[in-house]
Amino acid sequence: MSRLFRESRRDSSSSNGSSAAAAATASTGGLPSPFPDLGVPLSAADLREAAYEVLVASSRTTGGKPLTYIPQAAASAGGGGGPASPASASSLSSANASSSPSLQRSLTSAAASKMKKALGLRSSASSKGGSPGSGGGGKSVPPRRPATVGELMRVQMRVSEPADARIRRGLLRIAASQLGRRAESMVLPLEFLQQFKASDIPDPQEYEAWQSRNLKLLEAGLLVHPLVPLNKSDVSAQRLRQIIRGAYDRPLETGKNSESMQVLRSAVMSLAGRSDDGTSDGCHWADGFPLNLHLYQMLVEACFDNDDGTVVDEIDEVMELLKKTWGILGINQMLHNLCFAWALFNHFVMSGQVDIELLSAAENQLAEVAKDAKTTKDPNYSKVLSSTLSSIMGWTEKRLLAYHETFNTSNIESMQGIVSIGVSAARVLVEDISHEYRRRRKEETDVARSRIETYIRSSLRTAFAQRMEEADSKRSSRNPTPVLSILAKDIGDLAIKEKNLYSPILKTWHPLASGVAVATLHSCFGNELKQFIAGLTELTPDTVQVLKAADKLEKDLVNIAVEDSVDSDDGGKSLIREMPPYEAENAIANLVKVWIKERIDRLKGWVDRTLKQETWNPAANRENIAPSCVEMLRMVGETLDAFFQLPIPMHPVLLPDLMFGLDRSLQLFVSKAKSGCGTRNSFMPQLPPLTRCEVGSNILFKKKEKPQNPQYRGSQNGTTNGADPLALPQLCVRLNTLQFVRGELENLEKKIKTGLRNVESAQADVTDGLDIKFELCQTACQEGIQQLCETTAYKVTFYDLGHVLWDILYIGDIASSRIEILLRELDPILETISGMVHNKVRNRAITALMKATFDGFLLVLLAGGPLRAFTRQDSQIIEDDFKALKDLFLADGDGLPEELVDKASSQVKNVLPLLRTDSESLIDRFKRMMAESNRSGAKNRLPLPPTTGHWSPNEPNTVLRVLCYRYDETATKFLKKTYNLPKKI
């Protein structure tokens, strides 16, 4: 036993003044003591034995009979080990009974413990067995429970039987010498030093440790932590310091009659007798702060089983004993509640956080502490309350600020209690201790909600950082998935876990727990995504994968936030404001637009380069189309295929941009295909000045005179060799090319609709409402085909056949220069057009040629120049010639439709009757029309009517031109008199 005391002394001497309770707690895996340091090197064993002495001393005063000492051997001899025999080393008894009813009360089943019930604790399994000490046949006998509460307390406080015997023997001696004196009026360390000499403890080292402990208790209770502060000049305090300092060097001579004891008693009693109000009704040696708390905490620890740390079933009886020490230790109900709450929580921690009952009990006890905190302003209580709650809150927050690391499905049930305790501690610290809080309106701060929000945001930021590291480690050559895609999935899973596992618990204090969680995750991922997007320069599969994953994650997080805030005051608007959109779709869209622009620019550049080299060679292919057209459409198709293969979720949204770009590119191709060909006006001749016929001359028969043809505005590309890009075959190729493009537009539109239906994001009605039309190109093709038909027709008529029209037809003798030569020239041209031009535009090309020849025929009659003159008798020949010209295009029913030919020939047929009309009638007709059109002008002189080109019998200029080419004296005189027209140019 002396070895134990030597070890205790070594522990004490090596503690350097640190808190013994803290050391004891830390050694068992608990929390450091929240109580201030004692500043005196008392070990946990020292404090525990001193507390036990106070317990026994305070308990024996409840008995009214004198005490006697019965050695353990004698007590056990008569008991036979039965239930009624106390198992303690010694007992305090009266002449024929136990001296202290509370200590010697027999223990019975505590299944109905009121205190356990109040704390929410169940009775332990050990309390459900038989009576203490009973055996069971041949079965192994379980360890016997103490039979009395006194024995239980000794065992719980780890006091050895010899030490217990010495304490009781000392108390018996004190009682014998100071009969009737209460424990509150004693200084127990002094009394024990007074009762025992060195000879009473055979082991010198054990005696020395025992004496040192008692002197340290006196130092701690009277000098370091007295109830009433000391004056520096207090003589008794100086004397006591000298005695204790001397005893460290040389053991003090103890015993009743020693001189040193008398000096010690004088100094101790002088200091212990002081009180706050000046009256001394007891001794104050153990009720100074924080010594009293350290001693009481040792007593409170006896409430917990030494083996498993659970609250003992006899908690009611133990608490009854603990209350008897309050007078000596200066403890009240509030301090008790605080110490017991701390002990319950600390034992939960020491259990490895698995004893949920202890956690629940601590939670219930802390509720009592919260009530107490509102009723007192005692500075010492506030100080220890603050340190205790800060310690509790520090432990809980360490776990709650990263609760994803602390809690999982296996231990989630403890989270509710830990959060409750942490929030309760925070609320007391803020609302009942914080001076700053008291100065503010309490409505402004919701402590619980604020703490929960802090826990959520901190834990999720920590969890997010861990997921970031994990995502980075998951990417490898075998798993090339982008890190942010992996992270987005992990964060989505984390959000679901948060919603299902943690938020239901946290909602008790924060109604928008899930919303705050997903808003935090949204912000964390958003920061990473923003950096990712800032570094993007092109659209790649990895880029699209990341942005699609981000978009899905955002939608999932927002849905959780919206669901969580349905019943909130603002409908979740504040949370949604915390979640600015990632705009992943916008980022994808912008990258796709860049991709589209690059493709379109490449296509346009190709068009520019290729069409400059295009020869429009009809021998290039059987379809008589330009090879560049085929290549162009192939590139457009490949661009569409590449677009629909992009792994993006918004093909329908971005398709209009691509369609517009492709449409413009095709329009550019069509425009360049027809550029440089000119228009119908490019080949229309300039009309010669008006003249009159020279009647009576031999003009009709002057074959040798060189005809003066109308001036022709030739094409800018006016080459006439076989490589002429405006030669008829080349023009036919251009025409076919535009028709081919026009026909392929429908195929491209079908291709687009099919592509839309097959994309990943396709919906049943994906093409509804979309205007899938190449409108610009379609219009350009229609206009281009019309322009090329007219250009070809007028070029052939007025350029290729110009020599027939101006140099041969109706020059000199009408009968010998009729239409047959023109028909012979037109026939191979019609064969070329019919053989080369696509059947869908063939009739349009021939119709344009027909109209051009009709116009040319009419121009010969009305603007053929001064070498032409017609008599009324010539009209029949001219009408027959025109019928032959029409028949050429009718081709005996194999050519153009008759109604189409009739419609096109209507203008010529309307003018021809003027050729057979007599000159007088024509002059009257002309005058009448001029008078009607010039009513406000002078009647004596007719103005020259403008040339409109709209030939009609009702148009003055048309009638005037018929007169100009009339070989007739009347017509010539009228023109001479009215306009003084010359006979020659």
Side-chain angles (χ1 to χ4, degrees), residues 638-655:
E638 288 180 352
T639 301
L640 287 171
D641 289 339
F643 173 75
F644 288 117
Q645 287 171 8
L646 293 176
I648 59 175
M650 69 281 290
H651 289 93
V653 176
L654 296 171
L655 179 61

Side-chain angles (χ1 to χ4, degrees), residues 184-420:
E184 289 84 351
S185 61
M186 302 179 191
V187 180
L188 288 179
L190 175 66
E191 299 299 338
F192 283 124
L193 289 171
Q194 186 84 53
Q195 298 301 326
F196 294 104
K197 296 180 293 185
S199 58
D200 292 325
I201 302 176
D203 187 340
Q205 289 184 337
E206 184 178 344
Y207 170 75
E208 183 178 340
W210 172 83
Q211 182 185 111
S212 175
R213 174 179 67 81
N214 283 289
L215 289 174
K216 289 175 184 176
L217 284 171
L218 292 175
E219 180 182 6
L222 297 175
L223 297 178
V224 182
H225 304 292
L227 177 67
V228 180
L230 292 172
N231 294 324
K232 292 183 179 180
S233 59
D234 193 304
V235 177
S236 298
Q238 295 175 359
R239 188 182 304 120
L240 180 58
R241 283 194 188 91
Q242 293 173 354
I243 294 172
I244 292 174
R245 192 174 296 115
Y248 287 155
D249 299 330
R250 180 182 179 184
L252 186 68
E253 183 183 354
T254 58
K256 291 184 179 180
N257 300 318
S258 68
E259 181 180 353
S260 57
M261 280 305 302
Q262 298 303 320
V263 176
L264 178 63
R265 174 175 287 277
S266 172
V268 167
M269 296 308 293
S270 173
L271 293 172
R274 298 176 309 121
S275 61
D276 290 327
D277 54 6
T279 61
S280 180
D281 56 349
C283 292
H284 303 282
W285 66 275
D287 50 359
F289 174 83
L291 175 63
N292 57 343
L293 296 179
H294 283 276
L295 291 171
Y296 191 68
Q297 195 62 34
M298 291 298 172
L299 295 173
V300 171
E301 287 296 315
C303 300
F304 301 90
D305 190 277
N306 288 337
D307 295 326
D308 58 19
T310 59
V311 175
V312 297
D313 289 337
E314 301 81 6
I315 183 65
D316 292 5
E317 291 91 334
V318 172
M319 281 298 177
E320 186 178 332
L321 284 181
L322 262 56
K323 286 185 179 180
K324 297 180 184 300
T325 67
W326 289 6
I328 296 176
L329 298 178
I331 300 296
N332 54 28
Q333 187 66 50
M334 289 190 299
L335 288 172
H336 164 78
N337 289 342
L338 183 59
C339 290
F340 191 50
W342 162 258
L344 286 168
F345 182 75
N346 191 38
H347 275 274
F348 163 71
V349 174
M350 293 166 64
S351 74
Q353 304 152 50
V354 297
D355 194 333
I356 304 302
E357 284 194 359
L358 283 177
L359 180 62
S360 177
E363 185 181 352
N364 293 333
Q365 189 66 22
L366 197 59
E368 297 299 318
V369 172
K371 295 177 184 177
D372 295 339
K374 298 183 181 300
T375 62
T376 182
K377 297 296 183 286
D378 178 67
N380 282 337
Y381 176 78
S382 296
K383 184 177 180 181
V384 71
L385 174 66
S386 177
S387 64
T388 302
L389 295 184
S390 295
S391 179
I392 291 175
M393 194 173 80
W395 186 91
T396 59
E397 290 206 336
K398 184 177 180 181
R399 283 140 187 85
L400 294 175
L401 289 172
Y403 58 75
H404 286 85
E405 296 179 3
T406 308
F407 303 103
N408 49 52
T409 52
S410 64
N411 66 348
I412 192 65
E413 60 179 334
S414 66
M415 183 177 176
Q416 176 90 25
I418 290 176
V419 174
S420 178

Side-chain angles (χ1 to χ4, degrees), residues 581-891:
Y582 289 159
E583 296 186 344
E585 285 195 355
N586 285 346
I588 294 176
N590 291 336
L591 289 172
V592 174
K593 288 176 181 179
V594 171
W595 180 89
I596 289 173
K597 185 178 184 301
E598 290 175 352
R599 291 295 184 107
I600 298 303
D601 289 346
R602 195 182 310 159
L603 199 56
K604 288 180 177 178
W606 181 90
V607 169
D608 285 332
R609 292 191 306 273
T610 303
L611 288 190
K612 287 178 181 178
Q613 303 169 2
E614 183 60 71
T615 61
W616 311 102
N617 183 6
N621 49 54
R622 289 183 300 176
E623 292 81 8
N624 293 320
I625 59 176
S628 57
C629 165
V630 178
E631 182 65 15
M632 171 74 178
L633 292 170
R634 184 189 65 78
M635 294 172 66
V636 170
E638 288 180 352
T639 301
L640 287 171
D641 289 339
F643 173 75
F644 288 117
Q645 287 171 8
L646 293 176
I648 59 175
M650 69 281 290
H651 289 93
V653 176
L654 296 171
L655 179 61
D657 289 1
L658 179 62
M659 286 279 295
F660 180 75
L662 293 177
D663 200 7
R664 289 292 299 270
S665 299
L666 290 168
Q667 181 194 32
L668 176 65
F669 180 89
V670 172
S671 298
K672 287 187 175 293
K674 68 179 183 178
S675 66
C677 296
T679 63
R680 59 179 288 178
N681 292 331
S682 302
F683 300 97
M684 284 291 290
Q686 291 183 355
L687 302 185
L690 293 176
T691 59
R692 56 190 173 89
C693 290
E694 186 177 351
V695 180
S697 68
N698 294 326
I699 188 171
L700 297 179
F701 306 99
K702 290 181 180 179
K703 301 293 184 178
K704 295 182 181 180
E705 186 173 347
K706 186 178 179 180
Q708 298 180 9
N709 296 337
Q711 296 181 12
Y712 164 71
R713 292 198 302 252
S715 169
Q716 295 176 355
N717 302 311
T719 57
T720 57
N721 56 31
D724 182 6
L726 294 182
L728 181 59
Q730 278 74 11
L731 289 172
C732 290
V733 170
R734 291 178 190 256
L735 196 57
N736 285 342
T737 299
L738 297 194
Q739 174 57 34
F740 184 76
V741 170
R742 182 183 179 189
E744 285 299 306
L745 293 181
E746 184 176 350
N747 293 332
L748 289 175
E749 291 165 1
K750 290 179 180 178
K751 184 183 186 75
I752 291 170
K753 290 180 180 179
T754 302
L756 277 177
R757 294 190 184 100
N758 292 335
V759 294
E760 179 183 346
S761 58
Q763 299 176 358
D765 57 348
V766 67
T767 59
D768 292 352
L770 283 178
D771 188 16
I772 305 175
K773 297 285 184 184
F774 290 95
E775 294 181 349
L776 296 176
C777 183
Q778 187 73 257
T779 302
C781 284
Q782 292 174 358
E783 294 174 353
I785 289 172
Q786 180 64 30
Q787 179 183 332
L788 283 175
C789 284
E790 291 182 350
T791 298
T792 302
Y794 280 80
K795 191 260 183 184
V796 167
T797 301
F798 294 103
Y799 189 88
D800 297 345
L801 300 181
H803 65 288
V804 177
L805 288 178
W806 311 126
D807 298 345
I808 299 175
L809 186 62
Y810 301 143
I811 292 292
D813 183 15
I814 300 298
S816 60
S817 56
R818 295 183 63 177
I819 198 71
E820 283 81 3
I821 188 170
L822 178 62
L823 298 181
R824 285 196 302 270
E825 295 284 344
L826 280 174
D827 192 61
I829 291 173
L830 287 172
E831 288 182 4
T832 300
I833 293 175
S834 298
M836 288 190 64
V837 177
H838 193 280
N839 57 7
K840 288 191 176 181
V841 292
R842 184 181 302 143
N843 280 1
R844 289 183 64 181
I846 295 175
T847 300
L849 180 60
M850 177 184 67
K851 290 180 178 179
T853 56
F854 289 176
D855 285 348
F857 183 80
L858 201 52
L859 276 181
V860 169
L861 300 178
L862 299 178
L867 294 182
R868 286 180 172 86
F870 305 102
T871 65
R872 289 179 59 195
Q873 290 74 20
D874 295 333
S875 63
Q876 186 59 50
I877 295 175
I878 294 171
E879 289 178 7
D880 291 343
D881 283 354
F882 183 65
K883 181 177 182 303
L885 184 59
K886 288 197 302 178
D887 290 342
L888 175 68
F889 291 100
L890 289 171

Side-chain angles (χ1 to χ4, degrees), residues 72-89:
Q72 173 65 20
S76 301
S85 300
S88 58

